[in-house]
Amino acid sequence: MPNVTLYPLENYTFGAKDAQPEEDSSVAARLKRLENDYETQGMRRTVEAVMVVHQHNHPHVLMLQIANAFFKLPGHYLQPGVDEREGLKNILNERLGAADPNEWANEPQWEIGECLSTWWRPNFESYMYPYIPAHVTKPKEKKTLYLVHMPPNKVLTVPKNMKVLAIPLFEVYDNAARYGAQLSAIPHLLSRYDFEYKPM
């Protein structure tokens, strides 16, 4: 089994920076923009980070909570032609790096690891699948989840309208009702790894 080193949540410091409002006010608005973008750019590519730490020797996934409501992984969609791993590094800097971009080079760099899963959106609707349905020839969005290997220490600077929460795997597992199909699948995706828990 491949090894992954996990550091305790206490090793990470959380700061705050200006809010980063969601581009779309609702799911319907997001799907409408996806449809408009598809006409000019083709299939959307989205990348998201699975960042794992530990508390009391149990894995926890770092998730963003927006407006005390829904949970999401740190990530965003890519501009056409941008490499997925390089794009995810830039997205993580924008989302969780220092408020001043000039500081990014001085911080521990993001280490983008293995691709954990790929999800496909067949049409301009909210459903995504971990495969392309047989009748679909032109999916509208491809979302790729990458394992991000956390450095031993790091300052995570979080937009004021978001919170970073460390959610234990046992809370996420088989809990699609609260977290959705993609997030509740993460414990399965991580089960192939042998975790090494580092002390503080």
Side-chain angles (χ1 to χ4, degrees), residues 153-185:
N153 301 275
K154 192 168 177 64
V155 177
L156 302 176
T157 310
V158 186
K160 288 178 181 175
N161 59 318
M162 304 180 189
K163 287 191 289 193
V164 171
L165 299 177
I167 312 291
L169 287 194
F170 66 77
E171 163 72 18
V172 182
Y173 174 66
D174 202 25
N175 196 354
R178 181 165 193 198
Y179 294 100
Q182 295 164 41
L183 299 183
S184 63

Coordinates of all heavy atoms in Angstrom, one line a residue, residues 153-185:
N153 N 4.0 21.9 8.4 CA 3.4 23.1 8.9 C 3.0 24.0 7.8 O 3.7 24.0 6.8 CB 4.4 23.8 9.8 CG 4.9 23.0 11.0 OD1 4.2 22.9 12.0 ND2 6.0 22.3 10.8
K154 N 1.9 24.8 8.0 CA 1.6 25.7 7.0 C 0.5 26.7 7.5 O -0.3 26.3 8.4 CB 1.0 25.0 5.7 CG 0.9 26.0 4.5 CD 0.6 25.2 3.3 CE 0.3 26.0 2.0 NZ 1.5 26.8 1.6
V155 N 0.6 27.9 7.1 CA -0.5 28.9 7.4 C -1.5 28.8 6.3 O -1.1 29.0 5.1 CB 0.1 30.3 7.6 CG1 -1.0 31.3 7.8 CG2 1.1 30.4 8.7
L156 N -2.8 28.6 6.6 CA -3.8 28.6 5.7 C -4.6 29.9 5.9 O -5.2 30.1 6.9 CB -4.7 27.4 5.8 CG -4.0 26.0 5.7 CD1 -4.9 24.9 6.0 CD2 -3.4 25.8 4.4
T157 N -4.6 30.7 4.9 CA -5.3 32.0 5.0 C -6.6 31.9 4.3 O -6.7 31.7 3.1 CB -4.4 33.1 4.4 OG1 -3.1 33.0 4.9 CG2 -5.0 34.5 4.7
V158 N -7.7 32.0 5.0 CA -9.0 31.6 4.6 C -9.9 32.9 4.3 O -9.9 33.8 5.1 CB -9.8 30.7 5.6 CG1 -11.1 30.2 5.1 CG2 -8.9 29.6 6.1
P159 N -10.6 32.9 3.1 CA -11.5 34.1 2.9 C -12.5 34.2 4.0 O -13.0 33.2 4.5 CB -12.1 33.7 1.6 CG -11.2 32.8 0.9 CD -10.5 32.0 2.0
K160 N -12.8 35.4 4.4 CA -13.7 35.7 5.5 C -15.1 35.1 5.4 O -15.7 34.9 6.4 CB -13.8 37.2 5.7 CG -12.5 37.9 6.3 CD -12.7 39.4 6.4 CE -11.4 40.0 6.9 NZ -11.5 41.5 7.0
N161 N -15.5 34.9 4.2 CA -16.9 34.3 4.0 C -16.9 32.8 4.0 O -17.9 32.1 3.7 CB -17.5 34.8 2.7 CG -16.7 34.4 1.5 OD1 -15.4 34.5 1.5 ND2 -17.3 34.0 0.4
M162 N -15.7 32.2 4.4 CA -15.6 30.7 4.4 C -15.0 30.3 5.7 O -14.3 31.1 6.4 CB -14.7 30.2 3.2 CG -15.2 30.6 1.9 SD -14.1 30.0 0.6 CE -14.8 30.9 -0.9
K163 N -15.2 29.0 6.0 CA -14.5 28.4 7.2 C -13.9 27.1 6.7 O -14.4 26.5 5.8 CB -15.5 28.0 8.3 CG -16.0 29.2 9.0 CD -16.8 28.8 10.3 CE -18.1 28.1 10.0 NZ -19.0 28.0 11.1
V164 N -12.7 26.8 7.2 CA -12.1 25.5 7.0 C -12.4 24.6 8.2 O -12.1 25.0 9.3 CB -10.5 25.6 6.8 CG1 -9.9 24.2 6.7 CG2 -10.2 26.4 5.5
L165 N -13.0 23.5 7.9 CA -13.3 22.5 8.9 C -12.6 21.2 8.6 O -12.5 20.8 7.4 CB -14.8 22.3 8.9 CG -15.7 23.5 9.3 CD1 -17.2 23.1 9.2 CD2 -15.4 24.1 10.6
A166 N -12.1 20.6 9.6 CA -11.5 19.3 9.5 C -12.6 18.2 9.9 O -13.0 18.1 11.0 CB -10.3 19.1 10.5
I167 N -13.1 17.5 8.8 CA -14.2 16.6 9.0 C -13.6 15.2 9.1 O -12.9 14.7 8.2 CB -15.1 16.7 7.8 CG1 -15.5 18.1 7.5 CG2 -16.4 15.8 8.1 CD1 -16.4 18.8 8.5
P168 N -13.9 14.4 10.2 CA -13.3 13.1 10.3 C -13.9 12.1 9.2 O -15.1 12.3 8.9 CB -13.7 12.6 11.7 CG -14.9 13.5 12.1 CD -14.7 14.8 11.4
L169 N -13.1 11.2 8.8 CA -13.6 10.3 7.8 C -14.9 9.5 8.2 O -15.8 9.2 7.4 CB -12.5 9.3 7.4 CG -11.3 9.8 6.6 CD1 -10.6 8.6 6.0 CD2 -11.8 10.7 5.4
F170 N -15.0 9.2 9.5 CA -16.2 8.4 9.9 C -17.4 9.3 9.8 O -18.5 8.7 9.7 CB -16.0 7.9 11.4 CG -15.9 8.9 12.4 CD1 -17.0 9.6 12.9 CD2 -14.7 9.2 13.0 CE1 -16.9 10.5 13.9 CE2 -14.6 10.2 14.0 CZ -15.7 10.8 14.5
E171 N -17.3 10.6 9.8 CA -18.4 11.5 9.7 C -18.9 11.6 8.2 O -20.1 11.6 7.9 CB -18.1 12.9 10.2 CG -19.0 14.0 9.8 CD -20.4 13.9 10.5 OE1 -20.5 13.3 11.5 OE2 -21.3 14.6 9.9
V172 N -17.9 11.5 7.3 CA -18.2 11.6 5.9 C -18.6 10.3 5.3 O -19.5 10.3 4.4 CB -16.9 12.1 5.1 CG1 -17.2 12.3 3.7 CG2 -16.4 13.4 5.7
Y173 N -18.1 9.2 5.8 CA -18.4 7.9 5.2 C -19.9 7.6 5.1 O -20.6 7.7 6.1 CB -17.7 6.8 6.0 CG -18.0 5.4 5.6 CD1 -17.6 5.0 4.3 CD2 -18.7 4.5 6.4 CE1 -17.9 3.7 3.9 CE2 -19.0 3.3 5.9 CZ -18.6 2.8 4.7 OH -18.9 1.6 4.2
D174 N -20.3 7.2 3.9 CA -21.7 6.8 3.7 C -22.7 7.8 4.2 O -23.8 7.5 4.6 CB -21.9 5.5 4.5 CG -23.1 4.7 3.9 OD1 -23.4 4.9 2.7 OD2 -23.7 3.9 4.6
N175 N -22.3 9.1 4.0 CA -23.2 10.2 4.5 C -23.5 11.1 3.3 O -23.3 12.4 3.4 CB -22.5 11.0 5.6 CG -23.5 11.8 6.4 OD1 -24.7 12.0 6.0 ND2 -23.0 12.5 7.5
A176 N -24.0 10.6 2.2 CA -24.3 11.4 1.0 C -25.4 12.3 1.3 O -25.5 13.4 0.7 CB -24.7 10.5 -0.1
A177 N -26.3 12.0 2.3 CA -27.4 12.9 2.6 C -26.9 14.3 3.0 O -27.5 15.3 2.7 CB -28.3 12.3 3.7
R178 N -25.8 14.3 3.7 CA -25.3 15.6 4.2 C -24.2 16.2 3.3 O -24.1 17.4 3.0 CB -24.7 15.5 5.6 CG -24.1 16.8 6.1 CD -23.9 16.8 7.6 NE -23.7 18.2 8.1 CZ -23.1 18.5 9.2 NH1 -22.8 17.6 10.0 NH2 -23.0 19.8 9.5
Y179 N -23.3 15.3 2.8 CA -22.1 15.7 2.1 C -22.2 15.5 0.5 O -21.3 16.0 -0.2 CB -20.9 15.0 2.6 CG -20.6 15.4 4.0 CD1 -20.9 14.6 5.1 CD2 -20.0 16.6 4.3 CE1 -20.7 15.0 6.4 CE2 -19.7 17.0 5.7 CZ -20.1 16.2 6.7 OH -19.8 16.5 8.0
G180 N -23.1 14.8 0.1 CA -23.2 14.5 -1.4 C -22.4 13.3 -1.8 O -21.5 12.9 -1.0
A181 N -22.6 12.8 -3.0 CA -22.0 11.6 -3.4 C -20.5 11.7 -3.5 O -19.8 10.8 -3.2 CB -22.6 11.2 -4.8
Q182 N -20.0 12.9 -4.0 CA -18.5 13.0 -4.2 C -17.8 13.0 -2.9 O -16.8 12.3 -2.8 CB -18.3 14.3 -5.0 CG -18.8 14.2 -6.4 CD -18.9 15.6 -7.1 OE1 -18.0 16.4 -6.9 NE2 -20.0 15.9 -7.7
L183 N -18.2 13.8 -2.0 CA -17.5 13.9 -0.7 C -17.6 12.6 0.1 O -16.7 12.2 0.8 CB -18.0 15.1 0.1 CG -17.8 16.5 -0.6 CD1 -18.2 17.6 0.4 CD2 -16.3 16.7 -1.0
S184 N -18.8 12.0 0.1 CA -19.0 10.8 0.9 C -18.2 9.6 0.4 O -18.1 8.6 1.1 CB -20.5 10.5 1.0 OG -21.0 10.2 -0.2
A185 N -17.7 9.7 -0.9 CA -16.9 8.7 -1.5 C -15.4 8.8 -1.0 O -14.7 7.8 -1.3 CB -17.0 8.7 -3.0

